[in-house]
Amino acid sequence: MAVDVPSLKLSEQSFYILRELFERECGIHLHTDKKMLVVSRLQRRLELRHLQGFEDYCALLKQPAEAEERQWMVDALTTHETFFFRAPNQFQHLTRHALPMLAHRPLRIWSAAASTGEEAYSLAMTLAETLGAAGWELLGSDISGRAVWHAARGLYPLSRLEEMPKEYLKKYCRKGLGEYAGQLLVNRSLRARTQFFRHNLLDSAAKIGSFDVIFLRNVLIYFDPPRRRQILRNMLARLRPGGYLYIGHSESASDELVELESVGHSAWRSKQTNDMQRMAP
Ligand SMILES: C[S@@+](CC[C@H](N)C(=O)[O-])C[C@H]1O[C@@H](n2cnc3c(N)ncnc32)[C@H](O)[C@@H]1O
């Protein structure tokens, strides 16, 4: 029989400290109505660290040597909801409209808030189907180290496959056996072609070069308008002339993206000239 573990108390003061630390790490501001969510998502960390209460946890997080614990806090408090071929019309748009317009090789594609990797592998399958095994490079990044670790592993519960075309399942995945029963593993060849790394969208991504296609879906919604603009500026600085940016269907970014052409399905195309400096700060 499952036993309910009583919730720990989170004082207003500790909530404000946690909120500030979280915002400093990843730029997301937690509203006061998220207090219970903070308790439920962090309680396990306190147990694992053998702490009596949130005051102790706040004191721990403030220590310079506890960078790893701050990472755990970010992992726990960010929302990683994702699944294969989420918003399938955007993958169709990529195949039918964007890829035929992008002639040079290798194409560089970035899943910029990749979570546990389902979006990046959906892109890898789409690219392998459309372009074949060569001629493209795919990167996936997320602020959560744990999500990145899951992504690189490429092992998923079968329940997350609703939108995946059946023929892709056969071609690009293997069903797990024994201890992996009920799971699927993305084929080694696709895993080897997809590189995952930790990256904060608020930081410059100049080091990783420029891209023909960027998927930045279902992440802008978590940020306030100034940070949304900062993230979009960072993305646009990495988008090649004529390149495509896909955002989530529930995200509106029209003010920030005035310099781009809207091409439907929450996709935006950069103009052929690379004159992104004209964007308002
Ligand atoms: C809801 S998931 C979206 C996953 C995928 N793009 C999709 O649409 O299915 C949002 C992801 O954004 C990541 N995230 C939140 N803040 C971030 C930041 N500052 N930099 C990079 N990734 C961030 C979270 O860790 C989470 O995995």
mmCIF file of all heavy atoms in Angstrom, residues 83-96 122 126 162-165 215 217 246 249 265:
data_model
loop_
_atom_site.group_PDB
_atom_site.id
_atom_site.type_symbol
_atom_site.label_atom_id
_atom_site.label_comp_id
_atom_site.label_asym_id
_atom_site.label_seq_id
_atom_site.Cartn_x
_atom_site.Cartn_y
_atom_site.Cartn_z
ATOM 1 N N PHE A 83 7.082 15.082 -26.689
ATOM 2 C CA PHE A 83 6.854 13.749 -27.254
ATOM 3 C C PHE A 83 7.278 13.743 -28.717
ATOM 4 O O PHE A 83 7.490 14.811 -29.315
ATOM 5 C CB PHE A 83 5.397 13.272 -27.081
ATOM 6 C CG PHE A 83 4.353 14.305 -27.399
ATOM 7 C CD1 PHE A 83 3.805 14.383 -28.662
ATOM 8 C CD2 PHE A 83 3.912 15.203 -26.433
ATOM 9 C CE1 PHE A 83 2.827 15.328 -28.959
ATOM 10 C CE2 PHE A 83 2.935 16.164 -26.725
ATOM 11 C CZ PHE A 83 2.399 16.215 -27.998
ATOM 12 N N PHE A 84 7.424 12.549 -29.284
ATOM 13 C CA PHE A 84 7.859 12.427 -30.674
ATOM 14 C C PHE A 84 6.837 13.080 -31.611
ATOM 15 O O PHE A 84 5.637 12.947 -31.426
ATOM 16 C CB PHE A 84 8.010 10.950 -31.069
ATOM 17 C CG PHE A 84 9.252 10.319 -30.503
ATOM 18 C CD1 PHE A 84 9.199 9.568 -29.341
ATOM 19 C CD2 PHE A 84 10.482 10.496 -31.131
ATOM 20 C CE1 PHE A 84 10.347 8.993 -28.817
ATOM 21 C CE2 PHE A 84 11.629 9.930 -30.617
ATOM 22 C CZ PHE A 84 11.565 9.174 -29.457
ATOM 23 N N PHE A 85 7.328 13.772 -32.622
ATOM 24 C CA PHE A 85 6.501 14.399 -33.660
ATOM 25 C C PHE A 85 5.386 15.268 -33.074
ATOM 26 O O PHE A 85 4.257 15.246 -33.550
ATOM 27 C CB PHE A 85 5.965 13.343 -34.636
ATOM 28 C CG PHE A 85 7.068 12.780 -35.490
ATOM 29 C CD1 PHE A 85 7.737 11.628 -35.104
ATOM 30 C CD2 PHE A 85 7.471 13.434 -36.650
ATOM 31 C CE1 PHE A 85 8.791 11.134 -35.864
ATOM 32 C CE2 PHE A 85 8.525 12.943 -37.410
ATOM 33 C CZ PHE A 85 9.189 11.787 -37.023
ATOM 34 N N ARG A 86 5.752 16.003 -32.028
ATOM 35 C CA ARG A 86 4.797 16.960 -31.445
ATOM 36 C C ARG A 86 4.488 18.018 -32.516
ATOM 37 O O ARG A 86 5.396 18.526 -33.159
ATOM 38 C CB ARG A 86 5.459 17.626 -30.244
ATOM 39 C CG ARG A 86 4.577 18.574 -29.492
ATOM 40 C CD ARG A 86 5.343 19.097 -28.286
ATOM 41 N NE ARG A 86 4.442 19.737 -27.356
ATOM 42 C CZ ARG A 86 4.826 20.173 -26.152
ATOM 43 N NH1 ARG A 86 6.067 20.014 -25.742
ATOM 44 N NH2 ARG A 86 3.967 20.752 -25.350
ATOM 45 N N ALA A 87 3.243 18.367 -32.680
ATOM 46 C CA ALA A 87 2.791 19.273 -33.747
ATOM 47 C C ALA A 87 3.290 18.766 -35.105
ATOM 48 O O ALA A 87 4.169 19.376 -35.733
ATOM 49 C CB ALA A 87 3.254 20.705 -33.500
ATOM 50 N N PRO A 88 2.734 17.636 -35.580
ATOM 51 C CA PRO A 88 3.250 16.999 -36.799
ATOM 52 C C PRO A 88 3.207 17.908 -38.021
ATOM 53 O O PRO A 88 4.021 17.754 -38.934
ATOM 54 C CB PRO A 88 2.337 15.789 -37.002
ATOM 55 C CG PRO A 88 1.325 15.818 -35.933
ATOM 56 C CD PRO A 88 1.640 16.881 -34.956
ATOM 57 N N ASN A 89 2.287 18.888 -38.029
ATOM 58 C CA ASN A 89 2.223 19.773 -39.212
ATOM 59 C C ASN A 89 3.519 20.572 -39.394
ATOM 60 O O ASN A 89 3.863 20.949 -40.513
ATOM 61 C CB ASN A 89 0.993 20.682 -39.158
ATOM 62 C CG ASN A 89 0.998 21.600 -37.953
ATOM 63 O OD1 ASN A 89 1.826 21.448 -37.057
ATOM 64 N ND2 ASN A 89 0.089 22.545 -37.918
ATOM 65 N N GLN A 90 4.266 20.792 -38.303
ATOM 66 C CA GLN A 90 5.533 21.522 -38.450
ATOM 67 C C GLN A 90 6.603 20.637 -39.106
ATOM 68 O O GLN A 90 7.443 21.131 -39.860
ATOM 69 C CB GLN A 90 6.007 22.041 -37.101
ATOM 70 C CG GLN A 90 5.065 23.125 -36.554
ATOM 71 C CD GLN A 90 5.632 23.867 -35.379
ATOM 72 O OE1 GLN A 90 6.066 23.246 -34.403
ATOM 73 N NE2 GLN A 90 5.619 25.191 -35.429
ATOM 74 N N PHE A 91 6.542 19.345 -38.851
ATOM 75 C CA PHE A 91 7.490 18.423 -39.507
ATOM 76 C C PHE A 91 7.147 18.297 -40.995
ATOM 77 O O PHE A 91 8.035 18.221 -41.838
ATOM 78 C CB PHE A 91 7.498 17.067 -38.794
ATOM 79 C CG PHE A 91 8.105 17.167 -37.417
ATOM 80 C CD1 PHE A 91 7.328 17.440 -36.310
ATOM 81 C CD2 PHE A 91 9.480 17.038 -37.247
ATOM 82 C CE1 PHE A 91 7.895 17.580 -35.052
ATOM 83 C CE2 PHE A 91 10.061 17.173 -35.993
ATOM 84 C CZ PHE A 91 9.262 17.438 -34.888
ATOM 85 N N GLN A 92 5.842 18.300 -41.271
ATOM 86 C CA GLN A 92 5.425 18.267 -42.689
ATOM 87 C C GLN A 92 5.860 19.548 -43.394
ATOM 88 O O GLN A 92 6.342 19.527 -44.527
ATOM 89 C CB GLN A 92 3.904 18.135 -42.798
ATOM 90 C CG GLN A 92 3.437 16.711 -42.605
ATOM 91 C CD GLN A 92 1.983 16.654 -42.156
ATOM 92 O OE1 GLN A 92 1.235 17.625 -42.299
ATOM 93 N NE2 GLN A 92 1.584 15.526 -41.606
ATOM 94 N N HIS A 93 5.702 20.677 -42.707
ATOM 95 C CA HIS A 93 6.122 21.953 -43.296
ATOM 96 C C HIS A 93 7.620 21.934 -43.583
ATOM 97 O O HIS A 93 8.086 22.370 -44.640
ATOM 98 C CB HIS A 93 5.772 23.098 -42.344
ATOM 99 C CG HIS A 93 6.067 24.451 -42.906
ATOM 100 N ND1 HIS A 93 7.314 25.037 -42.811
ATOM 101 C CD2 HIS A 93 5.309 25.316 -43.619
ATOM 102 C CE1 HIS A 93 7.290 26.215 -43.423
ATOM 103 N NE2 HIS A 93 6.087 26.402 -43.921
ATOM 104 N N LEU A 94 8.370 21.402 -42.642
ATOM 105 C CA LEU A 94 9.827 21.309 -42.825
ATOM 106 C C LEU A 94 10.153 20.495 -44.082
ATOM 107 O O LEU A 94 10.964 20.901 -44.916
ATOM 108 C CB LEU A 94 10.446 20.650 -41.576
ATOM 109 C CG LEU A 94 11.944 20.392 -41.622
ATOM 110 C CD1 LEU A 94 12.723 21.701 -41.565
ATOM 111 C CD2 LEU A 94 12.382 19.493 -40.457
ATOM 112 N N THR A 95 9.477 19.344 -44.205
ATOM 113 C CA THR A 95 9.766 18.447 -45.337
ATOM 114 C C THR A 95 9.328 19.053 -46.662
ATOM 115 O O THR A 95 10.080 19.030 -47.643
ATOM 116 C CB THR A 95 9.004 17.109 -45.153
ATOM 117 O OG1 THR A 95 9.301 16.629 -43.855
ATOM 118 C CG2 THR A 95 9.417 16.086 -46.167
ATOM 119 N N ARG A 96 8.114 19.619 -46.673
ATOM 120 C CA ARG A 96 7.535 20.038 -47.965
ATOM 121 C C ARG A 96 7.961 21.436 -48.388
ATOM 122 O O ARG A 96 8.049 21.710 -49.574
ATOM 123 C CB ARG A 96 6.004 20.002 -47.889
ATOM 124 C CG ARG A 96 5.504 18.584 -47.756
ATOM 125 C CD ARG A 96 3.990 18.545 -47.721
ATOM 126 N NE ARG A 96 3.542 17.237 -47.312
ATOM 127 C CZ ARG A 96 2.375 16.981 -46.760
ATOM 128 N NH1 ARG A 96 1.522 17.970 -46.550
ATOM 129 N NH2 ARG A 96 2.036 15.751 -46.425
ATOM 130 N N SER A 122 12.922 13.200 -33.701
ATOM 131 C CA SER A 122 11.880 13.339 -34.732
ATOM 132 C C SER A 122 12.475 14.082 -35.932
ATOM 133 O O SER A 122 12.191 13.757 -37.094
ATOM 134 C CB SER A 122 10.681 14.119 -34.197
ATOM 135 O OG SER A 122 10.177 13.515 -33.039
ATOM 136 N N THR A 126 13.079 12.692 -39.768
ATOM 137 C CA THR A 126 12.581 13.477 -40.911
ATOM 138 C C THR A 126 13.717 13.752 -41.894
ATOM 139 O O THR A 126 13.543 13.627 -43.118
ATOM 140 C CB THR A 126 11.992 14.814 -40.398
ATOM 141 O OG1 THR A 126 11.004 14.512 -39.417
ATOM 142 C CG2 THR A 126 11.363 15.618 -41.513
ATOM 143 N N GLU A 162 2.702 8.095 -29.712
ATOM 144 C CA GLU A 162 1.441 8.222 -30.445
ATOM 145 C C GLU A 162 1.563 8.842 -31.831
ATOM 146 O O GLU A 162 0.957 8.398 -32.779
ATOM 147 C CB GLU A 162 0.457 9.030 -29.614
ATOM 148 C CG GLU A 162 -0.328 8.131 -28.692
ATOM 149 C CD GLU A 162 -1.104 8.907 -27.674
ATOM 150 O OE1 GLU A 162 -1.501 10.035 -27.981
ATOM 151 O OE2 GLU A 162 -1.295 8.367 -26.574
ATOM 152 N N GLU A 163 2.363 9.901 -31.918
ATOM 153 C CA GLU A 163 2.438 10.636 -33.197
ATOM 154 C C GLU A 163 3.490 10.070 -34.154
ATOM 155 O O GLU A 163 3.617 10.554 -35.273
ATOM 156 C CB GLU A 163 2.750 12.114 -32.945
ATOM 157 C CG GLU A 163 1.722 12.873 -32.146
ATOM 158 C CD GLU A 163 0.466 13.180 -32.947
ATOM 159 O OE1 GLU A 163 0.414 12.880 -34.153
ATOM 160 O OE2 GLU A 163 -0.489 13.707 -32.348
ATOM 161 N N MET A 164 4.263 9.086 -33.715
ATOM 162 C CA MET A 164 5.344 8.617 -34.591
ATOM 163 C C MET A 164 4.795 7.719 -35.711
ATOM 164 O O MET A 164 4.103 6.736 -35.439
ATOM 165 C CB MET A 164 6.400 7.837 -33.802
ATOM 166 C CG MET A 164 7.531 7.537 -34.748
ATOM 167 S SD MET A 164 8.965 6.679 -34.191
ATOM 168 C CE MET A 164 9.457 7.327 -32.690
ATOM 169 N N PRO A 165 5.094 8.059 -36.997
ATOM 170 C CA PRO A 165 4.621 7.191 -38.080
ATOM 171 C C PRO A 165 5.134 5.761 -37.878
ATOM 172 O O PRO A 165 6.303 5.565 -37.526
ATOM 173 C CB PRO A 165 5.256 7.838 -39.329
ATOM 174 C CG PRO A 165 5.585 9.237 -38.924
ATOM 175 C CD PRO A 165 5.870 9.203 -37.451
ATOM 176 N N PHE A 215 14.581 24.787 -34.246
ATOM 177 C CA PHE A 215 13.323 24.489 -33.556
ATOM 178 C C PHE A 215 13.443 25.058 -32.139
ATOM 179 O O PHE A 215 14.311 24.644 -31.375
ATOM 180 C CB PHE A 215 13.064 22.975 -33.501
ATOM 181 C CG PHE A 215 12.237 22.466 -34.657
ATOM 182 C CD1 PHE A 215 12.558 22.796 -35.957
ATOM 183 C CD2 PHE A 215 11.142 21.636 -34.433
ATOM 184 C CE1 PHE A 215 11.796 22.332 -37.035
ATOM 185 C CE2 PHE A 215 10.366 21.162 -35.498
ATOM 186 C CZ PHE A 215 10.691 21.508 -36.798
ATOM 187 N N ARG A 217 10.713 25.392 -29.674
ATOM 188 C CA ARG A 217 9.285 25.214 -29.454
ATOM 189 C C ARG A 217 8.948 24.987 -27.979
ATOM 190 O O ARG A 217 9.641 24.276 -27.257
ATOM 191 C CB ARG A 217 8.795 24.023 -30.290
ATOM 192 C CG ARG A 217 9.150 24.177 -31.776
ATOM 193 C CD ARG A 217 8.490 23.122 -32.624
ATOM 194 N NE ARG A 217 8.650 21.786 -32.096
ATOM 195 C CZ ARG A 217 7.876 20.765 -32.427
ATOM 196 N NH1 ARG A 217 6.887 20.935 -33.299
ATOM 197 N NH2 ARG A 217 8.095 19.566 -31.925
ATOM 198 N N TYR A 246 11.245 27.677 -36.119
ATOM 199 C CA TYR A 246 9.924 27.150 -35.732
ATOM 200 C C TYR A 246 9.728 27.404 -34.244
ATOM 201 O O TYR A 246 10.586 27.028 -33.440
ATOM 202 C CB TYR A 246 9.838 25.637 -35.999
ATOM 203 C CG TYR A 246 9.808 25.285 -37.461
ATOM 204 C CD1 TYR A 246 10.987 25.242 -38.215
ATOM 205 C CD2 TYR A 246 8.610 24.987 -38.102
ATOM 206 C CE1 TYR A 246 10.968 24.921 -39.566
ATOM 207 C CE2 TYR A 246 8.578 24.670 -39.458
ATOM 208 C CZ TYR A 246 9.753 24.640 -40.178
ATOM 209 O OH TYR A 246 9.738 24.323 -41.521
ATOM 210 N N HIS A 249 3.116 26.361 -31.266
ATOM 211 C CA HIS A 249 1.859 26.922 -31.766
ATOM 212 C C HIS A 249 1.205 27.872 -30.774
ATOM 213 O O HIS A 249 0.484 28.773 -31.149
ATOM 214 C CB HIS A 249 0.879 25.803 -32.105
ATOM 215 C CG HIS A 249 1.217 25.143 -33.414
ATOM 216 N ND1 HIS A 249 1.588 25.850 -34.530
ATOM 217 C CD2 HIS A 249 1.245 23.833 -33.769
ATOM 218 C CE1 HIS A 249 1.824 25.009 -35.530
ATOM 219 N NE2 HIS A 249 1.631 23.779 -35.089
ATOM 220 N N HIS A 265 2.216 27.870 -39.981
ATOM 221 C CA HIS A 265 2.527 26.799 -39.032
ATOM 222 C C HIS A 265 3.538 27.230 -37.962
ATOM 223 O O HIS A 265 4.419 26.449 -37.576
ATOM 224 C CB HIS A 265 3.036 25.555 -39.768
ATOM 225 C CG HIS A 265 2.032 25.015 -40.739
ATOM 226 N ND1 HIS A 265 0.927 24.293 -40.350
ATOM 227 C CD2 HIS A 265 1.953 25.141 -42.073
ATOM 228 C CE1 HIS A 265 0.209 23.987 -41.411
ATOM 229 N NE2 HIS A 265 0.810 24.486 -42.470
#
